[in-house]
Amino acid sequence: MKSFHITRRMFLQYLSMATAALPAAGLAKRIPTARDNSFSFVFLGDLHFDKLMHHDMNYLKEKYPNDIRQIDNYSRITRENLADLMRVSKERANDTNAAFLLQIGDFVEGLCGSKELASTQVNEFIQLVDRQQFDRPFLAIKGNHDITGAGAKEVYQEIVLPWQSRQLEKPVQSANNVYVYKGARFLLFDCFNEKESLVWLKEAIKEHKKSEVLFFCTHVPVVPYDARSNWHIYVHPDQAGERDELLNLLGEHKAIVLSGHLHKTSIVTRSTPSGSFVQIGLGSVIPYLDAPIKNHLVGLDAYRESLVELEPNFSPASLELRKEILRQEKPHIRHYEYADFCGYSSVHVDGRNNVTMEIYANVDKTPWAAVKITDLFDS
């Protein structure tokens, strides 16, 4: 199994070549221009922006008592670490002259308890983004936490969608959207409106030309890759037909799937009867700025039912189901790498549609890995 990790010297040589065609940082506002179809963007996983004051504690005790500890932790992470993540994300965007930032959902914690509190939480997150002065769009996918809790769905419609309209610079009516930039097409997928979203996808993907790079952006992963192997799109047995349709569409169009939800890092190639696609998993809920990288697994032998042992206390009732899901997926996996950490990423598309990505642990400025994604289709 070939490794995609590189030395610091190799990375700096690669970065010099990757950015040579781009104009100097800071010379343009919003979406920068370039002489060809090369561009970069910053990719962020789940953030779970939160403050204790965003919650009606009586509501939590009644409706979500098991989430109180999580809310306390995410509030601490927001207070201690989010500012540093935003800072390094901006630095990375400026250094690569990134066209935009893409956040893969769960940008807020939700579970507020009222529409008023949910509005406060979302507005404060938008204000936080505005204060960064990124000078480029901030695209956000819908996550489950963004629509969970009293009033959250209404706030998503009334505040989040107009915000995303401004970022996309076009009217936005739902979380399903197409964003085209230079030689790449981004399908922003609402994985919480499954039937309607698949109908939308089958029409939207028809516009994709095989000469274009296709990014399929979804909060919940398509391919299971860790102990929570039942946390992926169309997981229920009665959704097998929809899952096959989705897998084949992604394989036929050689999609690069960007996903979050699991707060882990992964790189997976998945084959289908129509072709292969690559899925990247990323989380950005950084527990501590010096958090260690745990459980780094590489190679096809690592993708097996024993992945459930990574979280031995998670959902004992679903243990056998999760093992069976991994057994069924294993014959279709062509590349696998996994590690337990959160961070951020920088993605580069060159004029020949080669896609590369640097993945950073925590708020490090030296990449944990540099991956040439387009090579992984042939793994």
Side-chain angles (χ1 to χ4, degrees):
M1 189 63 168
K2 59 184 178 181
S3 172
F4 291 89
H5 292 275
I6 64 172
T7 66
R8 179 176 174 82
R9 181 178 178 183
M10 292 168 63
F11 165 70
L12 292 173
Q13 290 174 337
Y14 148 75
L15 185 59
S16 176
M17 291 185 291
T19 59
L22 297 176
L27 293 183
K29 290 286 187 179
R30 302 292 288 175
I31 300 177
T33 59
R35 294 177 182 177
D36 57 23
N37 282 338
S38 61
F39 70 97
S40 300
F41 65 94
V42 172
F43 171 39
L44 297 172
D46 303 35
L47 296 173
H48 290 269
F49 173 78
D50 200 14
K51 297 178 183 178
L52 291 178
M53 61 180 289
H54 293 156
H55 302 275
D56 179 334
M57 297 308 294
N58 290 328
Y59 170 83
L60 285 177
K61 290 174 183 177
E62 180 183 352
K63 299 289 186 180
Y64 299 96
N66 294 331
D67 289 292
I68 293 176
R69 178 181 291 183
Q70 173 179 278
I71 287 167
D72 185 62
N73 188 44
Y74 287 156
S75 296
R76 177 193 63 80
I77 290 171
T78 297
R79 184 173 63 251
E80 295 179 359
N81 303 331
L82 186 55
D84 286 304
L85 176 63
M86 288 294 187
R87 174 181 52 77
V88 295
S89 297
K90 181 177 179 178
E91 290 174 0
R92 194 79 202 119
N94 288 340
D95 288 346
T96 60
N97 203 27
F100 53 88
L101 294 90
L102 174 68
Q103 194 277 328
I104 207 66
D106 282 2
F107 48 87
V108 294
E109 169 64 0
L111 304 171
C112 296
S114 71
K115 183 178 179 181
E116 180 182 8
L117 287 170
S119 298
T120 297
Q121 186 177 69
V122 167
N123 279 322
E124 287 191 8
F125 178 75
I126 294 172
Q127 291 163 11
L128 172 68
V129 171
D130 289 343
R131 286 198 302 273
Q132 307 309 308
Q133 297 182 331
F134 285 122
D135 291 333
R136 43 183 54 87
F138 190 98
L139 312 183
I141 311 302
K142 181 198 281 186
N144 53 301
H145 278 261
D146 305 324
I147 54 170
T148 300
K153 290 182 179 179
E154 292 85 351
V155 167
Y156 193 90
Q157 292 292 321
E158 296 172 14
I159 298 177
V160 177
L161 290 184
W163 171 51
Q164 285 300 290
S165 294
R166 297 191 296 274
Q167 302 306 305
L168 291 164
E169 298 183 337
K170 67 176 185 178
V172 166
Q173 303 299 323
S174 79
N176 285 318
N177 285 290
V178 178
Y179 182 62
V180 179
Y181 185 74
K182 294 193 174 181
R185 183 173 296 266
F186 294 78
L187 300 181
L188 315 182
F189 187 74
D190 180 357
C191 53
F192 305 103
N193 196 3
E194 293 176 323
K195 289 186 177 180
E196 291 184 17
S197 293
L198 185 58
V199 172
W200 169 84
L201 175 63
K202 288 190 287 188
E203 288 301 311
I205 207 167
K206 290 178 181 178
E207 300 298 319
H208 172 240
K209 300 174 183 177
K210 297 300 174 68
S211 60
E212 295 177 330
V213 176
L214 180 70
F215 290 96
F216 179 77
C217 309
T218 170
H219 178 67
V220 177
V222 176
V223 183
Y225 59 80
D226 74 351
R228 304 188 182 200
S229 56
N230 57 339
W231 283 23
H232 62 272
I233 300 175
Y234 302 122
V235 65
H236 300 294
D238 61 357
Q239 296 176 311
E242 288 94 336
R243 179 164 175 76
D244 285 344
E245 281 192 275
L246 176 61
L247 292 171
N248 281 299
L249 281 172
L250 298 176
E252 177 186 353
H253 291 266
K254 297 189 70 172
I256 297 170
V257 177
L258 302 179
S259 68
H261 194 49
L262 299 180
H263 302 186
K264 304 293 190 292
T265 299
S266 73
I267 308 162
V268 179
T269 301
R270 210 278 191 189
S271 67
T272 79
S274 300
S276 296
F277 64 91
V278 177
Q279 175 182 279
I280 307 296
L282 186 69
S284 296
V285 189
I286 298 168
Y288 298 96
L289 297 181
D290 59 351
I293 295 170
K294 299 181 291 185
N295 299 322
H296 185 199
L297 307 174
V298 182
L300 295 181
D301 288 343
Y303 191 96
R304 51 189 174 184
E305 65 182 67
S306 61
L307 288 174
V308 299
E309 297 170 9
L310 292 170
E311 293 187 68
N313 298 320
F314 174 73
S315 184
S318 68
L319 179 62
E320 292 306 316
L321 169 64
R322 290 182 285 123
K323 287 183 178 180
E324 180 59 25
I325 288 172
L326 291 167
R327 283 194 291 266
Q328 291 181 11
E329 280 292 306
K330 183 175 176 59
H332 309 289
I333 304 302
R334 297 291 177 263
H335 176 86
Y336 179 69
E337 185 163 9
Y338 166 90
D340 184 351
F341 73 89
C342 287
Y344 65 107
S345 178
S346 184
V347 184
H348 313 279
V349 182
D350 71 16
R352 293 177 293 179
N353 289 343
N354 293 310
V355 182
T356 52
M357 171 184 285
E358 298 102 50
I359 301 172
Y360 298 82
N362 304 318
V363 295
D364 293 351
K365 295 185 179 181
T366 300
W368 170 77
V371 183
K372 189 170 182 181
I373 295 175
T374 38
D375 282 354
L376 296 180
F377 290 102
D378 301 320
S379 295

